[in-house]
């Protein structure tokens, strides 16, 4: 597997998804991970993004691909694929499609499409007319690059059913498989019993812009209309950088999910925009935590409202729900076993093995 993220150390959603997929693959295969020798220096991240954007103006490659492509990384992929007898190569993410050029032409390749990168970029600049005009060429280039990558890969694994439908519509005959986020570890038991004012939990990477947009929507359009006392607990990277507010407790990055589940009555996921799938939401449902979410948060996942899961979209309806006894009832529920089971390795390992075996023929 050629991957920018190391699944053993990466704390974000990409690392979490890769860990689960590798666990499923290892049911029947040995998996070697080929990644960059060194992560890009943090302080230079923005500068490298800007340089990649400038370089893209004179390149056939999109800026996101130029950002991810590193000479030493490409050399490592080339050497590993020629020195080892691999049955297939997995390319972990659309920004890694350049790895196709480094792999032997007869080696079956499978792309893992975490999201559609051109849609992410379009949403990032969508609220600015000026930025939309500036980035139109870049978005179109990224879109075409992804479509060509789908055509050249032997098969594509999609996290999202929505993304898979789009890919199949753009590339007729595409060999595609939907594999949602998988969690190999046993579900964590929940010990907290609801008591006193409601305690809501929001677990997210607050460095990721859709999560910040969702948080601002919750604060400005929902919580201002909630009359009852409650506390919102924020967990995740840069959650402690969110502006201080009464009734909000920011915990920062947490390594043990048990600390999250035992701190709150139910989880919230107020996502309003974004692409791919929400890994943290899937992880909550796998652990059978009750969840209040928007339909956008559940994009690409096979979930519906029921015990332990309430899906509401409008701010006024969120406020009405939180003001009502329905919120107290949700705090006593657990996500259904049927919902949890769709995120288990056991549910998907057999079909994943079958898919890869067919592609390797």
């Amino acid at each position: 597997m050629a991957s920018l993220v190391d699944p053993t150390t990466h704390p974000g959603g990409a690392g979490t998804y890769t860990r689960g997929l590798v666990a499923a693959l290892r049911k029947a295969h040995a998996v070697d991970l080929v990644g960059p020798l060194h992560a890009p220096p943090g302080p230079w991240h923005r500068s490298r993004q800007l340089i990649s954007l400038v370089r893209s103006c004179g390149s056939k490659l999109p800026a996101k691909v130029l950002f991810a492509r590193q000479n030493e990384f490409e050399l490592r992929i080339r050497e590993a694929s020629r020195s080892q007898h691999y049955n297939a190569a997995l390319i972990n993410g659309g920004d890694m499609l350049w790895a196709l050029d480094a792999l032997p032409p007869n080696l079956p390749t499978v792309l893992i499409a975490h999201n559609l990168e051109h849609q992410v970029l379009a949403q990032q600049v969508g609220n600015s007319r000026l930025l939309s005009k500036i980035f139109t060429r870049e978005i179109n280039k990224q879109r075409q690059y992804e479509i060509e990558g789908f055509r050249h890969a032997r098969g594509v694994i999609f996290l999202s059913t929505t993304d898979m439908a789009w890919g199949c519509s753009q590339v007729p005959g595409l060999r595609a498989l939907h594999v949602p986020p998988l969690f190999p570890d046993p579900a964590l038991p929940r010990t907290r019993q609801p008591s006193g004012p409601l305690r809501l939990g929001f677990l997210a990477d607050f460095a990721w812009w859709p999560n910040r947009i969702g948080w601002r929507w919750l604060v400005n359009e929902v919580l201002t209309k909630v009359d009852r006392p409650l506390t919102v607990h924020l967990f995740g990277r840069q959650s402690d950088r969110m502006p201080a507010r009464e009734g909000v407790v920011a915990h920062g990055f947490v390594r043990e999910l048990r600390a999250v589940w035992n701190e709150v009555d139910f989880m919230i996921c107020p996502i309003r925009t974004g692409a791919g799938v929400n890994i943290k939401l899937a992880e909550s449902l796998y652990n059978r935590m009750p969840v209040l979410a928007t339909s956008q948060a559940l994009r690409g996942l096979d979930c519906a409202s029921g015990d332990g899961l309430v899906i509401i979209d409008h701010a006024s309806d969120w406020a009405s729900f939180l003001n009502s006894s329905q919120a107290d009832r949700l705090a006593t529920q657990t996500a259904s076993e049927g919902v949890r089971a769709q995120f288990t390795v056991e549910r998907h390992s057999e079909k994943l093995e079958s898919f890869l075996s067919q592609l390797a023929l």
Side-chain angles (χ1 to χ4, degrees):
M1 177 185 290
S3 176
L4 273 173
V5 301
D6 183 345
T8 60
T9 60
H10 192 277
T16 301
Y17 182 82
T18 304
R19 280 193 293 277
L21 185 66
V22 168
L25 290 169
R26 284 179 172 159
K27 292 283 186 180
H29 301 279
V31 180
D32 290 343
L33 185 74
V34 181
L37 286 172
H38 304 287
W44 297 102
H45 186 84
R46 292 293 185 189
S47 298
R48 290 184 63 242
Q49 285 181 320
L50 181 59
I51 292 170
S52 299
L53 185 59
V54 173
R55 288 177 59 202
S56 175
C57 296
S59 171
K60 65 179 182 179
L61 297 176
K64 289 179 73 71
V65 176
L66 291 170
F67 180 82
R69 191 169 194 167
Q70 304 168 36
N71 290 335
E72 57 85 14
F73 190 8
E74 186 172 355
L75 181 61
R76 294 190 72 215
I77 294 172
R78 195 180 302 275
E79 290 178 345
S81 63
R82 283 160 175 75
S83 62
Q84 303 291 331
H85 180 68
Y86 292 123
N87 299 109
L90 283 81
I91 299 173
N92 195 25
D95 52 359
M96 285 287 299
L97 277 168
W98 53 265
L100 286 168
D101 297 332
L103 294 168
N106 60 337
L107 182 65
T109 55
V110 180
L111 171 66
I112 304 166
H114 287 254
N115 51 48
L116 299 175
E117 298 290 349
H118 74 277
Q119 290 186 1
V120 174
L121 181 58
Q123 290 184 10
Q124 279 182 290
V125 303
N127 292 329
S128 169
R129 184 175 299 179
L130 176 61
L131 288 178
S132 294
K133 289 182 178 180
I134 293 174
F135 281 90
T136 295
R137 179 176 178 274
E138 185 65 28
I139 293 168
N140 290 336
K141 185 192 294 188
Q142 179 69 51
R143 178 180 181 275
Q144 191 58 40
Y145 185 80
E146 287 180 294
I147 292 173
E148 289 303 313
F150 291 170
R151 290 196 178 111
H152 284 94
R154 186 76 65 90
V156 183
I157 295 172
F158 289 93
L159 283 66
S160 161
T161 55
T162 306
D163 290 353
M164 185 169 72
W166 184 89
C168 291
S169 72
Q170 299 299 310
V171 183
L174 178 68
R175 302 175 81 171
L177 179 70
H178 171 236
V179 180
L182 306 178
F183 305 97
D185 297 327
L188 294 171
R190 183 187 181 203
T191 59
R192 174 177 168 78
Q193 296 298 319
S195 62
L198 281 176
R199 298 163 65 93
L200 315 182
F202 187 10
L203 172 63
D205 180 356
F206 286 89
W208 182 231
W209 58 273
N211 295 326
R212 295 195 302 270
I213 290 175
W215 171 241
R216 289 196 293 268
W217 174 80
L218 181 76
V219 168
N220 297 327
E221 301 187 39
V222 177
L223 296 182
T224 53
K225 301 172 184 174
V226 176
D227 301 324
R228 68 187 297 175
L230 55 77
T231 306
V232 182
H233 292 258
L234 305 183
F235 305 91
R237 187 163 69 112
Q238 294 191 15
S239 61
D240 49 352
R241 298 187 186 180
M242 294 297 101
R245 176 185 169 86
E246 184 180 357
V248 175
V249 180
H251 297 263
F253 179 74
V254 289
R255 295 192 177 278
E256 291 291 333
L257 285 176
R258 193 183 307 273
V260 177
W261 308 151
N262 291 335
E263 188 70 37
V264 302
D265 296 317
F266 59 82
M267 304 300 293
I268 57 172
C269 201
I271 301 304
R272 308 289 296 166
T273 188
V277 301
N278 192 303
I279 306 292
K280 300 301 185 186
L281 173 59
E283 196 163 20
S284 293
L285 294 174
Y286 172 78
N287 284 279
R288 303 194 69 181
M289 282 294 294
V291 176
L292 169 63
T294 60
S295 55
Q296 178 65 32
L298 287 153
R299 177 189 182 276
L301 296 175
D302 185 19
C303 298
S305 285
D307 286 348
L309 176 60
V310 174
I311 305 171
I312 304 175
D313 283 324
H314 299 295
S316 58
D317 295 332
W318 266 64
S320 296
F321 177 85
L322 291 173
N323 280 323
S324 73
S325 60
Q326 297 177 65
D328 300 284
R329 186 157 53 249
L330 176 63
T332 67
Q333 298 174 343
T334 57
S336 73
E337 177 58 31
V339 169
R340 189 199 77 86
Q342 69 176 294
F343 304 115
T344 61
V345 169
E346 292 73 22
R347 171 71 67 87
H348 298 276
S349 57
E350 186 175 334
K351 72 174 184 180
L352 183 59
E353 163 62 14
S354 176
F355 180 71
L356 294 176
S357 296
Q358 292 175 23
L359 296 182
L361 294 178

